[in-house]
Amino acid sequence: MIRLSVDDLTFEVRESARRKTLEITVDRGGELIISAPSGTDEQHLRDFVVEKRLWIYRKLAEKAESRRRLPQKQYVNGEGFLYLGRSYRLKRVPDDAQDAPLKFVAGRFQLREDALPNAREHFIRWYSARATDWLTARVKAQARRMGVEPAGVKVQDLGYRWGSCGKGNRVYFHWKTILLPRPIAEYVVVHELVHLHEPHHTPAFWRRLERAMPDYEQRKGWLARHGIEVEGV
């Protein structure tokens, strides 16, 4: 892993032969990533960081404030957990009440008492399974409409990204995508499928995305404003 330090800022440098431009990303945890074409001169990277310094500090401050406001899950009775944009309450049940540590029954999450120490892991496992089923179905439907052929769908923790288009035309999604409202999760799906045509966020990419989803800007804006709110699991 290549690291670049500029004053008090430290970046992970990700190089790609397919990339033509520089891009800085502040991920969910506040880590800094600079994506660059392969072989980019270090001084060029430093100059780019200096140029974007005020923007970087502003983004870091916004992330810190958003995280400060996010309540930590306590896994107590009545606590709400998101699923496709809606909040469902939690009920803790006796150890012998159900076979699985976590179930979704009649519009309510049910967590066994003995599963409480690993509650977050159980939620992540449950969300990942539902995300795989839902996203695979949506990818299949949208791919047919858009005339693309993804090689498969994989759900995992993608860090700061909601989705990614990998080698061999496989599409990846963060498991937290299943927490988003359906129209926003659908936007993430279409966004990644457009990458099968256009690898980078060029003007051609956004034109193609608009043809596939004319109201994408509203959905993209909602995700930028509210995406951090699904962090607490």
Side-chain angles (χ1 to χ4, degrees):
M1 183 182 297
I2 304 173
R3 293 284 185 180
L4 174 72
S5 293
V6 180
D7 296 332
D8 59 335
L9 301 173
T10 300
F11 298 81
E12 176 189 338
V13 180
R14 297 179 179 174
E15 294 188 336
S16 170
R18 297 195 304 169
R19 174 168 285 279
K20 304 299 182 184
T21 59
L22 297 176
E23 181 180 29
I24 291 174
T25 306
V26 183
D27 81 0
R28 286 192 178 99
E31 288 78 16
L32 300 172
I33 296 118
I34 182 165
S35 301
S38 297
T40 301
D41 180 71
E42 181 179 318
Q43 188 57 49
H44 186 38
L45 296 177
R46 292 180 177 278
D47 292 343
F48 186 68
V49 169
V50 170
E51 177 187 342
K52 299 292 185 181
R53 190 195 302 269
L54 291 179
W55 178 88
I56 295 168
Y57 286 134
R58 187 172 70 250
K59 287 295 181 184
L60 287 171
E62 290 172 0
K63 294 282 185 182
E65 176 61 20
S66 296
R67 283 193 164 277
R68 189 186 66 79
R69 294 197 306 264
L70 282 176
Q72 294 297 310
K73 292 296 186 184
Q74 302 298 315
Y75 304 100
V76 296
N77 284 322
E79 191 171 20
F81 289 80
L82 289 172
Y83 176 40
L84 285 173
R86 292 184 59 187
S87 181
Y88 296 92
R89 295 192 181 279
L90 175 69
K91 179 182 180 182
R92 284 163 45 175
V93 298
D95 299 356
D96 58 355
Q98 60 193 36
D99 54 349
L102 177 69
K103 280 191 170 184
F104 186 69
V105 180
R108 184 169 57 185
F109 286 103
Q110 293 187 171
L111 178 70
R112 281 196 332 233
E113 289 285 352
D114 65 331
L116 187 59
N118 299 307
R120 186 173 190 273
E121 288 73 18
H122 291 305
F123 266 94
I124 291 173
R125 193 173 299 116
W126 189 92
Y127 281 132
S128 297
R130 298 309 178 280
T132 298
D133 292 342
W134 192 87
L135 290 165
T136 298
R138 298 317 304 149
V139 165
K140 183 177 180 181
Q142 291 288 356
R144 185 165 54 245
R145 184 177 70 87
M146 295 169 62
V148 294
E149 296 183 4
V153 174
K154 187 170 180 60
V155 172
Q156 61 189 58
D157 191 325
L158 294 179
Y160 71 93
R161 295 171 297 174
W162 289 106
S164 176
C165 184
K167 292 181 179 179
N169 285 354
R170 182 180 293 272
V171 286
Y172 297 81
F173 298 98
H174 200 298
W175 60 263
K176 288 185 179 179
T177 304
I178 200 65
L179 277 65
L180 298 170
R182 291 173 186 268
I184 309 304
E186 193 90 36
Y187 161 73
V188 176
V189 168
V190 173
H191 184 114
E192 295 310 322
L193 291 179
V194 172
H195 276 307
L196 296 179
H197 286 295
E198 301 288 345
H200 304 300
H201 293 138
T202 60
F205 171 90
W206 298 111
R207 287 194 299 269
R208 188 179 288 273
L209 178 55
E210 186 173 25
R211 289 196 297 271
M213 181 172 278
D215 66 343
Y216 86 89
E217 286 191 352
Q218 290 93 321
R219 305 189 198 206
K220 179 174 179 284
W222 189 99
L223 189 60
R225 292 190 302 273
H226 302 291
I228 189 71
E229 295 170 8
V230 306
E231 288 292 318
V233 175

